[in-house]
Amino acid sequence: EYGWTDFESELSGTSQIFACLADHSGGVFIAPWHRAVTWIDWQGTPDRNDDIVVYFNSANSGLLNDQTREMAISQTGEIWFAQEAYRETPSEPSGVCRLSWIPGQEETSSWNTFEPSDGLPSGDVRSVEVTTSSLIAWMGTKDGLVKGNIQSGQVLFSAGTGDGLPSGDVQSLAISRDGRLYVGTTGGLVLLRTDNETISDVSEVTGNVSVLHFDNLSCLWAASGSGLYRIYPDGLVEEYNTYNSPLQSLDIRQIACDEDNGFLYLVTDHGLWKLTLEQGMSGSLETATVYPNPFQPGKAGRR
């Protein structure tokens, strides 16, 4: 209703935004490429005087470096940062960080890290996926997959090419509501069943699987240079490409789902695309009919 608001001077860098995440308070974490992380709460108003801005970097926080590849949020509000070393300083500290704080109150910040010294096969972390525990997450790195407790530094599970991954370079992660973990790598996609820790190949999905996202019907969308795939809960796979769909490019950078209305948004190098999925959860109560209706007009009391 207020139109567009430009946030440029508030950011530590504006040339490339590599990650963006909304928290449970209404604030947004923004990670420009090699320019640390900025948190903004614009208070839901066009007035700029009431905006709250907090800067986190490797000098004033628990971030291991100033390059964040991806962010995730736990059910209880902790923010997880997947970091990788900057190309010009490959030996700098890197790994996964977790922030626990009262949003907007920097003095309440508490940080934990998970690094190669804790068992990460590589400090170059491409993706992080949180679990139902606020202390445990899946971490996809350049050289394999790890499930770890960020408080104790304990590795709970690890996998590489010798354990069923088509490539050790993990690019993306997505976990279903029933605990199935999909792992996208530069060599394809696999499914890890977390209940028995077995890995199976999703052979229909090929190429570098750089983006994974679940839609409102629990279907997984996987983007690679070979195609855009929709994987249904029963395992059925549909492929979309530039020949059988309106997509002009398979260079898909990000996917987001409007779960209430059943829309899927694709960010590509040829613009923003919206797919209309099956009916979502939104609606109006104005025309709703309740049947059978035990209430009898004109009579007092409850029925």
Side-chain angles (χ1 to χ4, degrees):
E1 63 185 295
Y2 299 125
W4 291 90
T5 301
D6 186 316
F7 295 98
E8 186 170 351
S9 61
E10 292 84 358
L11 301 181
S12 52
T14 58
S15 59
Q16 300 181 73
I17 305 298
F18 264 64
C20 188
L21 177 74
D23 65 17
H24 297 163
S25 73
V28 178
F29 289 86
I30 304 169
W33 180 244
H34 192 53
R35 291 294 184 271
V37 176
T38 302
W39 180 84
I40 298 176
D41 186 350
W42 65 296
Q43 305 292 316
T45 70
D47 184 5
R48 306 306 300 275
N49 293 325
D50 61 354
D51 293 354
I52 304 174
V53 181
V54 177
Y55 298 98
F56 294 113
N57 57 48
S58 57
N60 71 359
S61 73
L63 289 174
L64 291 167
N65 60 49
D66 292 330
Q67 186 150 293
T68 295
R69 177 72 175 260
E70 186 182 89
M71 296 179 285
I73 186 168
S74 67
Q75 296 177 357
T76 48
E78 292 81 11
I79 309 299
W80 296 71
F81 303 86
Q83 298 199 281
E84 63 181 6
Y86 184 50
R87 61 177 178 268
E88 295 183 5
T89 54
S91 61
E92 70 179 354
S94 191
V96 175
C97 305
R98 189 196 72 151
L99 166 64
S100 177
W101 74 323
I102 298 174
Q105 300 182 25
E106 190 173 359
E107 66 278 5
T108 66
S109 301
S110 175
W111 294 84
N112 298 94
T113 62
F114 203 95
E115 305 174 56
S117 59
D118 298 306
L120 273 182
S122 169
D124 289 338
V125 184
R126 281 67 159 88
S127 184
V128 59
E129 184 70 40
V130 297
T131 69
T132 54
S133 169
S134 63
L135 299 174
I136 299 173
W138 293 94
M139 311 169 198
T141 80
K142 183 180 179 181
D143 295 315
L145 173 71
V146 161
K147 180 183 181 182
N149 184 312
I150 202 165
Q151 186 173 73
S152 66
Q154 180 183 8
V155 173
L156 305 175
F157 178 86
S158 63
T161 54
D163 305 296
L165 296 186
S167 166
D169 194 344
V170 177
Q171 294 286 307
S172 54
L173 299 170
I175 192 165
S176 67
R177 295 173 182 173
D178 59 357
R180 291 172 292 130
L181 179 72
Y182 285 90
V183 184
T185 76
T186 54
L189 179 69
V190 296
L191 168 61
L192 170 61
R193 298 191 179 277
T194 56
D195 53 351
N196 55 18
E197 297 182 344
T198 59
I199 296 177
S200 57
D201 184 37
V202 184
S203 58
E204 297 90 342
V205 180
T206 60
N208 178 12
V209 184
S210 57
V211 182
L212 295 172
H213 193 85
F214 278 99
D215 66 18
N216 58 306
L217 297 174
S218 297
C219 295
L220 177 71
W221 292 82
S224 77
S226 301
L228 173 65
Y229 304 87
R230 187 181 190 183
I231 305 166
Y232 289 82
D234 62 2
L236 175 67
V237 179
E238 293 178 346
E239 178 182 351
Y240 302 91
N241 50 51
T242 55
Y243 298 101
N244 67 0
S245 78
L247 287 174
Q248 297 181 3
S249 171
L250 294 178
D251 187 356
I252 298 172
R253 312 292 178 84
Q254 190 58 270
I255 300 175
C257 183
D258 179 348
E259 296 187 355
D260 288 336
N261 297 296
F263 297 139
L264 193 78
Y265 293 91
L266 306 174
V267 180
T268 80
D269 63 343
H270 279 64
L272 178 68
W273 296 76
K274 182 177 78 170
L275 284 70
T276 301
L277 306 174
E278 288 79 0
Q279 183 176 356
M281 297 295 291
S282 64
S284 172
L285 296 178
E286 295 178 359
T287 59
T289 300
V290 179
Y291 180 84
N293 185 354
F295 176 71
Q296 300 179 34
K299 290 191 176 183
R302 299 180 179 180
R303 298 291 189 268

